[in-house]
Short mmCIF file of all heavy atoms in Angstrom, two decimals:
data_model
loop_
_atom_site.label_atom_id
_atom_site.label_comp_id
_atom_site.label_asym_id
_atom_site.label_seq_id
_atom_site.Cartn_x
_atom_site.Cartn_y
_atom_site.Cartn_z
N PHE Y 1 116.71 94.02 99.87
CA PHE Y 1 116.38 95.38 99.82
C PHE Y 1 116.01 95.85 101.25
O PHE Y 1 115.49 95.01 102.08
CB PHE Y 1 115.27 95.72 98.80
CG PHE Y 1 114.00 95.36 99.29
CD1 PHE Y 1 113.03 96.27 99.80
CD2 PHE Y 1 113.39 94.09 99.19
CE1 PHE Y 1 111.76 95.97 100.22
CE2 PHE Y 1 112.11 93.75 99.60
CZ PHE Y 1 111.34 94.67 100.09
N ASP Y 2 116.10 97.06 101.57
CA ASP Y 2 115.68 97.73 102.80
C ASP Y 2 114.30 98.21 102.64
O ASP Y 2 113.95 98.85 101.59
CB ASP Y 2 116.68 98.84 103.31
CG ASP Y 2 117.99 98.35 103.75
OD1 ASP Y 2 118.12 97.12 104.11
OD2 ASP Y 2 118.85 99.04 103.78
N GLY Y 3 113.43 97.94 103.58
CA GLY Y 3 112.12 98.38 103.63
C GLY Y 3 111.78 99.10 104.85
O GLY Y 3 112.15 98.55 106.02
N ARG Y 4 111.10 100.23 104.78
CA ARG Y 4 110.65 100.98 106.01
C ARG Y 4 109.30 100.38 106.36
O ARG Y 4 108.40 100.19 105.59
CB ARG Y 4 110.46 102.48 105.73
CG ARG Y 4 111.78 103.22 105.57
CD ARG Y 4 111.60 104.68 105.81
NE ARG Y 4 112.81 105.30 105.92
CZ ARG Y 4 113.53 105.48 107.05
NH1 ARG Y 4 113.05 104.97 108.13
NH2 ARG Y 4 114.60 106.05 107.15
N ILE Y 5 109.23 99.99 107.69
CA ILE Y 5 107.99 99.42 108.17
C ILE Y 5 107.09 100.38 109.05
O ILE Y 5 106.06 100.06 109.34
CB ILE Y 5 108.17 98.10 109.06
CG1 ILE Y 5 108.96 98.55 110.25
CG2 ILE Y 5 109.02 97.13 108.22
CD1 ILE Y 5 109.00 97.44 111.36
N ARG Y 6 107.69 101.58 109.31
CA ARG Y 6 107.02 102.60 110.12
C ARG Y 6 107.24 104.01 109.54
O ARG Y 6 108.47 104.25 109.26
CB ARG Y 6 107.38 102.42 111.52
CG ARG Y 6 106.55 103.11 112.58
CD ARG Y 6 106.92 102.73 113.96
NE ARG Y 6 106.83 101.21 114.03
CZ ARG Y 6 107.58 100.40 114.65
NH1 ARG Y 6 108.72 101.03 115.38
NH2 ARG Y 6 107.58 99.13 114.72
N GLY Y 7 106.26 104.86 109.68
CA GLY Y 7 106.49 106.29 109.17
C GLY Y 7 105.33 106.70 108.46
O GLY Y 7 104.34 106.03 108.19
N VAL Y 8 105.46 108.01 108.04
CA VAL Y 8 104.29 108.61 107.23
C VAL Y 8 104.80 108.64 105.80
O VAL Y 8 105.85 109.21 105.56
CB VAL Y 8 103.89 109.99 107.83
CG1 VAL Y 8 102.92 110.74 106.90
CG2 VAL Y 8 103.51 109.95 109.23
N PHE Y 9 104.01 108.27 104.88
CA PHE Y 9 104.35 108.18 103.47
C PHE Y 9 103.19 108.66 102.68
O PHE Y 9 102.02 108.47 103.00
CB PHE Y 9 104.61 106.74 102.99
CG PHE Y 9 105.72 106.01 103.90
CD1 PHE Y 9 105.48 105.40 105.00
CD2 PHE Y 9 107.05 106.15 103.39
CE1 PHE Y 9 106.44 104.82 105.68
CE2 PHE Y 9 108.03 105.59 104.17
CZ PHE Y 9 107.75 104.89 105.28
N THR Y 10 103.46 109.22 101.39
CA THR Y 10 102.30 109.49 100.49
C THR Y 10 102.29 108.27 99.59
O THR Y 10 103.21 107.91 98.96
CB THR Y 10 102.72 110.73 99.63
OG1 THR Y 10 102.75 111.93 100.44
CG2 THR Y 10 101.61 110.98 98.47
N LEU Y 11 101.11 107.57 99.60
CA LEU Y 11 101.03 106.28 98.98
C LEU Y 11 99.76 106.19 98.22
O LEU Y 11 98.81 107.05 98.54
CB LEU Y 11 101.10 105.16 100.01
CG LEU Y 11 102.51 105.00 100.70
CD1 LEU Y 11 102.27 104.17 101.91
CD2 LEU Y 11 103.43 104.43 99.78
N PRO Y 12 99.53 105.19 97.19
CA PRO Y 12 98.39 105.16 96.46
C PRO Y 12 97.11 104.89 97.29
O PRO Y 12 97.06 104.19 98.30
CB PRO Y 12 98.64 103.90 95.58
CG PRO Y 12 100.12 103.75 95.55
CD PRO Y 12 100.61 104.23 96.93
N LYS Y 13 96.02 105.61 96.92
CA LYS Y 13 94.73 105.54 97.68
C LYS Y 13 93.63 105.03 96.63
O LYS Y 13 93.72 105.47 95.56
CB LYS Y 13 94.47 107.00 98.21
CG LYS Y 13 93.11 107.06 98.72
CD LYS Y 13 92.76 108.60 98.89
CE LYS Y 13 91.33 108.90 99.22
NZ LYS Y 13 90.41 108.61 98.10
N ALA Y 14 92.67 104.32 97.18
CA ALA Y 14 91.54 103.97 96.47
C ALA Y 14 90.71 105.20 96.20
O ALA Y 14 90.34 105.91 97.16
CB ALA Y 14 90.72 102.82 97.19
N THR Y 15 90.37 105.41 94.97
CA THR Y 15 89.39 106.59 94.61
C THR Y 15 88.06 106.25 95.11
O THR Y 15 87.68 105.02 95.26
CB THR Y 15 89.60 106.93 93.13
OG1 THR Y 15 89.34 105.86 92.35
CG2 THR Y 15 90.97 107.53 92.86
N GLY Y 16 87.17 107.24 95.20
CA GLY Y 16 85.87 106.97 95.57
C GLY Y 16 85.65 106.96 97.07
O GLY Y 16 84.52 106.67 97.57
N GLN Y 17 86.66 107.22 97.84
CA GLN Y 17 86.61 107.17 99.28
C GLN Y 17 87.07 108.59 99.74
O GLN Y 17 88.06 109.19 99.27
CB GLN Y 17 87.53 106.17 99.91
CG GLN Y 17 87.09 104.78 99.54
CD GLN Y 17 88.12 103.73 100.21
OE1 GLN Y 17 89.18 104.13 100.62
NE2 GLN Y 17 87.65 102.52 100.26
N THR Y 18 86.52 109.04 100.90
CA THR Y 18 87.04 110.19 101.55
C THR Y 18 87.69 109.60 102.88
O THR Y 18 87.17 108.82 103.54
CB THR Y 18 85.86 111.17 101.94
OG1 THR Y 18 85.23 111.60 100.77
CG2 THR Y 18 86.25 112.35 102.77
N TRP Y 19 88.84 110.19 103.12
CA TRP Y 19 89.56 109.71 104.34
C TRP Y 19 89.48 110.98 105.34
O TRP Y 19 89.80 112.07 105.04
CB TRP Y 19 91.07 109.44 104.18
CG TRP Y 19 91.36 108.28 103.31
CD1 TRP Y 19 90.45 107.36 102.77
CD2 TRP Y 19 92.62 107.80 102.85
NE1 TRP Y 19 91.17 106.39 102.09
CE2 TRP Y 19 92.42 106.62 102.17
CE3 TRP Y 19 93.88 108.35 103.16
CZ2 TRP Y 19 93.57 105.93 101.62
CZ3 TRP Y 19 95.01 107.66 102.70
CH2 TRP Y 19 94.88 106.40 101.91
N SER Y 20 89.15 110.53 106.53
CA SER Y 20 89.24 111.45 107.65
C SER Y 20 90.54 111.30 108.46
O SER Y 20 91.07 110.17 108.43
CB SER Y 20 88.02 111.48 108.60
OG SER Y 20 87.94 110.14 109.11
N GLU Y 21 91.13 112.27 109.04
CA GLU Y 21 92.25 112.26 109.78
C GLU Y 21 92.12 111.18 110.85
O GLU Y 21 91.14 111.20 111.55
CB GLU Y 21 92.66 113.63 110.31
CG GLU Y 21 93.94 113.62 111.04
CD GLU Y 21 94.23 115.02 111.53
OE1 GLU Y 21 93.33 115.83 111.96
OE2 GLU Y 21 95.44 115.34 111.66
N GLY Y 22 93.07 110.20 110.89
CA GLY Y 22 93.07 109.25 111.89
C GLY Y 22 92.14 108.04 111.57
O GLY Y 22 92.18 107.04 112.33
N ALA Y 23 91.59 107.95 110.33
CA ALA Y 23 90.83 106.76 109.86
C ALA Y 23 91.68 105.55 109.70
O ALA Y 23 92.73 105.75 109.15
CB ALA Y 23 90.11 107.07 108.61
N LEU Y 24 91.15 104.39 110.17
CA LEU Y 24 92.01 103.23 109.91
C LEU Y 24 92.07 102.95 108.41
O LEU Y 24 91.19 103.09 107.67
CB LEU Y 24 91.32 102.00 110.65
CG LEU Y 24 91.32 101.98 112.10
CD1 LEU Y 24 90.59 100.85 112.67
CD2 LEU Y 24 92.77 102.02 112.67
N LEU Y 25 93.33 102.44 108.06
CA LEU Y 25 93.62 102.23 106.68
C LEU Y 25 94.02 100.79 106.34
O LEU Y 25 94.73 100.31 107.27
CB LEU Y 25 94.66 103.15 106.06
CG LEU Y 25 94.20 104.58 105.96
CD1 LEU Y 25 95.35 105.44 105.43
CD2 LEU Y 25 92.91 104.78 105.18
N TYR Y 26 93.57 100.22 105.31
CA TYR Y 26 93.86 98.73 104.99
C TYR Y 26 94.55 98.70 103.73
O TYR Y 26 94.31 99.40 102.82
CB TYR Y 26 92.45 98.01 104.99
CG TYR Y 26 91.77 98.01 106.24
CD1 TYR Y 26 90.93 99.04 106.59
CD2 TYR Y 26 91.85 96.95 107.17
CE1 TYR Y 26 90.26 99.12 107.78
CE2 TYR Y 26 91.16 97.00 108.35
CZ TYR Y 26 90.32 98.12 108.67
OH TYR Y 26 89.66 98.16 109.85
N TRP Y 27 95.54 97.73 103.54
CA TRP Y 27 96.21 97.55 102.29
C TRP Y 27 95.50 96.56 101.51
O TRP Y 27 95.34 95.44 101.91
CB TRP Y 27 97.67 97.11 102.62
CG TRP Y 27 98.47 96.81 101.35
CD1 TRP Y 27 98.90 95.50 101.05
CD2 TRP Y 27 98.99 97.75 100.44
NE1 TRP Y 27 99.57 95.62 99.80
CE2 TRP Y 27 99.65 96.98 99.37
CE3 TRP Y 27 98.75 99.08 100.25
CZ2 TRP Y 27 100.23 97.59 98.29
CZ3 TRP Y 27 99.38 99.67 99.16
CH2 TRP Y 27 100.09 98.99 98.13
N ASP Y 28 95.18 97.05 100.26
CA ASP Y 28 94.43 96.06 99.32
C ASP Y 28 95.59 95.55 98.46
O ASP Y 28 96.08 96.31 97.58
CB ASP Y 28 93.42 96.82 98.52
CG ASP Y 28 92.86 96.10 97.26
OD1 ASP Y 28 93.30 94.83 97.13
OD2 ASP Y 28 92.10 96.70 96.58
N ASN Y 29 96.11 94.22 98.73
CA ASN Y 29 97.29 93.82 98.01
C ASN Y 29 97.03 93.62 96.55
O ASN Y 29 98.00 93.68 95.69
CB ASN Y 29 97.79 92.58 98.67
CG ASN Y 29 99.17 92.37 98.37
OD1 ASN Y 29 100.09 93.10 98.39
ND2 ASN Y 29 99.48 91.11 97.99
N SER Y 30 95.76 93.29 96.12
CA SER Y 30 95.46 93.03 94.83
C SER Y 30 95.46 94.35 93.95
O SER Y 30 95.96 94.37 92.83
CB SER Y 30 94.18 92.27 94.61
OG SER Y 30 93.09 92.98 95.08
N GLY Y 31 94.90 95.34 94.50
CA GLY Y 31 94.81 96.73 93.94
C GLY Y 31 96.16 97.59 94.22
O GLY Y 31 96.24 98.64 93.46
N LYS Y 32 96.97 97.08 95.03
CA LYS Y 32 98.13 97.82 95.46
C LYS Y 32 97.81 99.42 95.93
O LYS Y 32 98.54 100.31 95.51
CB LYS Y 32 99.21 97.91 94.38
CG LYS Y 32 99.55 96.49 93.83
CD LYS Y 32 100.17 95.63 94.82
CE LYS Y 32 100.63 94.35 94.26
NZ LYS Y 32 100.62 93.20 95.22
N LYS Y 33 96.72 99.41 96.75
CA LYS Y 33 96.29 100.68 97.24
C LYS Y 33 95.81 100.62 98.63
O LYS Y 33 95.43 99.55 98.99
CB LYS Y 33 95.13 101.31 96.31
CG LYS Y 33 95.58 101.56 94.96
CD LYS Y 33 94.35 102.07 94.11
CE LYS Y 33 94.84 102.20 92.77
NZ LYS Y 33 93.77 102.68 91.87
N PHE Y 34 95.63 101.80 99.27
CA PHE Y 34 95.15 101.85 100.67
C PHE Y 34 93.74 102.08 100.60
O PHE Y 34 93.29 102.86 99.67
CB PHE Y 34 95.90 102.84 101.46
CG PHE Y 34 97.17 102.35 102.06
CD1 PHE Y 34 98.25 102.54 101.30
CD2 PHE Y 34 97.28 101.65 103.25
CE1 PHE Y 34 99.50 102.05 101.79
CE2 PHE Y 34 98.45 101.15 103.65
CZ PHE Y 34 99.56 101.38 102.92
N THR Y 35 92.83 101.66 101.52
CA THR Y 35 91.37 101.73 101.42
C THR Y 35 90.97 101.77 102.88
O THR Y 35 91.64 101.36 103.89
CB THR Y 35 90.81 100.51 100.71
OG1 THR Y 35 89.37 100.67 100.78
CG2 THR Y 35 91.25 99.18 101.27
N THR Y 36 89.78 102.23 103.02
CA THR Y 36 89.06 102.23 104.44
C THR Y 36 88.26 101.00 104.42
O THR Y 36 87.63 100.74 105.56
CB THR Y 36 88.11 103.51 104.53
OG1 THR Y 36 87.22 103.47 103.51
CG2 THR Y 36 89.05 104.76 104.67
N SER Y 37 88.17 100.07 103.50
CA SER Y 37 87.39 98.88 103.53
C SER Y 37 88.25 97.75 104.10
O SER Y 37 89.28 97.46 103.55
CB SER Y 37 87.06 98.60 102.18
OG SER Y 37 86.30 97.33 101.91
N ALA Y 38 87.75 97.16 105.09
CA ALA Y 38 88.42 96.07 105.78
C ALA Y 38 88.29 94.85 105.09
O ALA Y 38 89.27 93.88 105.22
CB ALA Y 38 87.86 95.89 107.27
#
């Protein structure tokens, strides 16, 4: 399959967090969501 490795996407986010523009984001592979938690 083809996969995009770069670009802007609307993707699952961990609830309970507020994201500010430019905040570093981490992939939680077990939850399959992005988070601000390293």
Side-chain angles (χ1 to χ4, degrees):
F1 77 98
D2 287 339
R4 288 200 168 273
I5 63 166
R6 195 169 305 140
V8 178
F9 303 90
T10 300
L11 293 168
K13 172 194 167 290
T15 56
Q17 298 181 339
T18 300
W19 291 359
S20 58
E21 185 177 32
L24 291 178
L25 296 178
Y26 300 83
W27 176 248
D28 173 0
N29 200 48
S30 61
K32 307 297 185 211
K33 296 178 181 182
F34 282 88
T35 178
T36 55
S37 175

